[in-house]
Amino acid sequence: MKTQGTKLREAVEQYKPLQILGVINAYSAIQAQKCGAKALYLSGGALAAMSLGVPDLGISSLEDVCVDVRRITAASDLPLLVDADTGWGGAFNIARTIRELTRSGAAGCHIEDQVAQKRCGHRPNKELVSPQEMSDRVKAAVDARLDSSFVVMARTDAHASEGQQAALDRAALYVESGADMIFAEAIHTLEEYKQFTSHIKVPVLANITEFGKTPYFTRDELGSVGISMVLYPLSAARAMCKAALGVFEDIIQNGSQKNSIESMQTRADLYETLGYHEYEQKLDKLFSQNKSK
């Protein structure tokens, strides 16, 4: 049976580029898979906000992430790429991160070159560790793999604070240190992405998040400059949050949810997504067998 890491690597090779959909829980993972997604993503920012109710400032823990990873990978067999922030500590902590994420069912993770008290990649005043310290993070992650197919992706946030050339130099060092893939954060132009794919000889990911520093380049535009993966980390989560807020406001202001019914998923659609009736049929079969004894 293929490992999750192998599934992710094969998807990157097969789809040019691979679109990776961000999910926030098991149910959204099922929805994404039913829509035809080939790979999933768990965002650290989404987890912080949706699971913990805190901002994306390095507050969540490894176990917080593993809880959501286990739930998502139990619900979907698609490969899951996980945001591991800065690895939650030094070499031994990073090694534990890799092992626990693997055991939880992740296909791979990305580790970034910000300081431990990190910020969202599209916020100002990001502070980076030295290239050598990030190189050591990558080496620790690669060395700790329980499964050689588990993907260790290195994210660089250098473009915003140190410039494009520094970001390219860092990415090259991280690949030399063992990174399987590169996450180029907060890039502004297709030409800059082209520079990454021309100089970095491993797959490169473009993060097309909303309301950030990177324009809404299309899949085909990014593919034309050699990008291997296109990430949409929070698109569905943002839509869910806005929809939920509208329903809450409707109920409070109008005393009923009737005006919002058309915007809701029906009970029938929910049951179909979950395979609810198959579960019921299984129960009926088990109970009928018990009654006949």
Side-chain angles (χ1 to χ4, degrees), residues 4 7 33 38 40 72-80:
Q4 293 302 308
K7 288 182 183 179
Q33 184 163 2
K38 305 303 180 184
L40 305 176
I72 290 168
T73 57
S76 169
D77 61 358
L78 291 178
L80 177 69

Side-chain angles (χ1 to χ4, degrees), residues 41-241:
Y41 177 72
L42 178 60
S43 157
L47 180 143
M50 310 300 169
S51 294
L52 303 177
V54 298
D56 183 20
L57 291 169
I59 300 170
S60 58
S61 70
L62 171 59
E63 184 55 24
D64 292 327
V65 174
C66 285
V67 167
D68 281 2
V69 170
R70 287 191 290 266
R71 289 172 174 166
I72 290 168
T73 57
S76 169
D77 61 358
L78 291 178
L80 177 69
L81 177 66
V82 178
D83 183 352
D85 286 343
T86 60
W88 292 287
F92 294 128
N93 304 83
I94 291 170
R96 180 169 178 263
T97 294
I98 299 301
R99 291 193 295 267
E100 292 303 313
L101 288 176
T102 303
R103 292 183 181 117
S104 298
C109 70
H110 64 77
I111 297 176
E112 64 200 55
D113 54 9
Q114 289 196 53
V115 297
Q117 202 62 47
K118 57 150 290 178
R119 296 171 184 259
C120 167
H122 292 256
R123 293 291 299 158
N125 303 320
K126 294 184 293 185
E127 184 177 349
L128 275 57
V129 298
S130 70
Q132 188 56 53
E133 182 173 342
M134 178 59 183
S135 172
D136 291 343
R137 287 178 182 176
V138 173
K139 291 176 181 177
V142 171
D143 180 68
R145 284 194 283 211
L146 300 171
D147 165 20
S148 60
S149 71
F150 184 90
V151 173
V152 174
M153 181 183 289
R155 170 176 141 178
T156 180
D157 284 72
H159 183 275
S161 54
E162 298 180 355
Q164 174 73 348
Q165 188 58 53
L168 291 168
D169 292 343
R170 280 177 174 265
L173 175 62
Y174 304 161
V175 172
E176 183 181 331
S177 302
D180 300 303
M181 303 178 187
I182 290 293
F183 183 142
E185 179 66 307
I187 304 301
H188 298 113
T189 69
L190 289 172
E191 177 56 33
E192 288 167 335
Y193 277 127
K194 179 64 174 177
Q195 291 170 3
F196 265 94
T197 60
S198 296
H199 290 82
I200 306 302
K201 302 309 178 184
V202 299
V204 176
L205 178 147
N207 181 22
I208 308 301
T209 190
E210 298 80 26
F211 316 113
K213 301 297 184 182
T214 303
Y216 301 122
F217 297 124
T218 68
R219 175 191 59 197
D220 292 344
E221 287 174 329
L222 292 163
S224 73
V225 294
I227 288 295
S228 296
M229 295 158 284
V230 186
L231 178 63
Y232 310 88
L234 284 155
S235 306
R238 296 188 206 280
M240 292 176 199
C241 291

